[in-house]
Amino acid sequence: MRWTSYRSTTDGREHAALLHDGELLALDRPLLAALHDDTPLDGWAEHARARPWERLPAETTPLLAPVPDPPSVRDFMAFENHVVTSHAAFGAEVSPVWYEQPVFYFSNPAAILGPEDEVSMAPGTARWDFELEVAAVVGRTGTDVHPDRAEEHVAGYVVLCDWSARDLQATETAVGLGPAKGKDTATSLGPWLVTPDELEPHRKGRGYDLRMSASVNGLPYSDGTWADLSWSFAEMLSYASRGTRVRPGDIIGSGTVGTGCILELGLTHGEAAFPWLRPGDEVTLEIEQLGAIRSLIKSSAAPVPLR
């Protein structure tokens, strides 16, 4: 199944919709509300096919993020090839802690954008970057979830872009906290929440044998595979639930795939070959089976002085 969300012109409200034969078959409620219900997504799919609240053409309907207002966003760093390459470019070694446990930071659930929304740069940044990621959307509540059962808590997977202000990130993390404003402005999700059964034929390693790619203004930048995950989503979700709850709609990001950001590419091949993003750039991030995010970069607002 492929699910998304849109805002209906009929009632002005957010609705979940199932993609079916080129049409969006809507529910009478948001996707987050459907995930909170005891009815599984395949039950909602039967309902949408039999009694759609509204039918719309998929190609011309503007889409929201599948979950526009997630309860939380945890973004991990689970691709070793990205971690090693980016650290080496800085002349640093990867902490042994990374190999002992998955690590994440909390991102901003109030900054979620849809798959074709324009993206404004963070105020004050001169080093605006994309990060090509895949994310799991949690489908049901769990606490101290065992890794062997963690995939049962995944409703589906989406393309995620963790937009990053690298200069702001470097400044604030030097204090020992963050990233905060370096990652606070925008996270793009979409276009589809694809249920795990759709991806099962592609399972490989700790992920799926699905290509992840990025381009800027039509020029190829990134090329990786989901199968390269060093920490599986089952392990990430299990760790996220340790001593707390994961809830329906929570976002679990993979972190950047190898070659999946300008920071890594620029440090490895030079900023002349891979310059930082500028207003007017068009960025496309795509994962096989999940679809693509297409974003036009807009200028930033001027930062408001604090003192």
Side-chain angles (χ1 to χ4, degrees), residues 96-221:
V97 173
W98 187 87
Y99 293 95
E100 297 165 3
Q101 64 185 54
V103 293
F104 71 90
Y105 76 97
F106 280 102
S107 192
N108 184 359
I112 300 298
L113 298 176
E116 299 206 359
D117 286 344
E118 295 179 346
V119 175
S120 294
M121 298 166 62
T125 187
R127 296 187 171 188
W128 192 237
D129 198 359
F130 66 84
E131 293 195 50
L132 172 59
E133 307 186 21
V134 61
V137 178
V138 175
R140 59 188 178 95
T141 300
T143 298
D144 293 324
V145 179
H146 193 282
D148 291 348
R149 305 297 300 273
E151 287 192 2
E152 298 172 11
H153 291 258
V154 175
Y157 296 97
V158 299
V159 184
L160 183 150
C161 182
D162 173 30
W163 301 99
S164 302
R166 297 303 191 181
D167 40 5
L168 306 186
Q169 179 184 355
T171 298
E172 64 197 4
T173 53
V175 181
L177 290 177
K181 285 300 172 186
K183 303 272 194 170
D184 206 34
T185 298
T187 299
S188 296
L189 293 176
W192 310 108
L193 180 151
V194 179
T195 52
D197 58 297
E198 294 276 342
L199 306 180
E200 192 59 34
H202 306 280
R203 187 180 287 274
K204 181 180 179 182
R206 293 183 174 89
Y208 297 93
D209 188 17
L210 295 171
R211 185 182 180 220
M212 303 173 66
S213 60
S215 64
V216 178
N217 300 325
L219 299 176
Y221 267 50

Side-chain angles (χ1 to χ4, degrees), residues 35 44 52-53 70 72 80 87 98 107 129 131 160 172 200 207 219 221 226-227 230 245 251 272 285 289 293 299:
L35 292 174
W44 283 117
W53 182 83
S72 71
E80 183 182 16
H87 277 66
W98 187 87
S107 192
D129 198 359
E131 293 195 50
L160 183 150
E172 64 197 4
E200 192 59 34
L219 299 176
Y221 267 50
W226 187 347
S230 298
R245 290 183 300 156
I251 304 297
L285 308 179
Q289 299 294 317
I293 289 170
S299 60

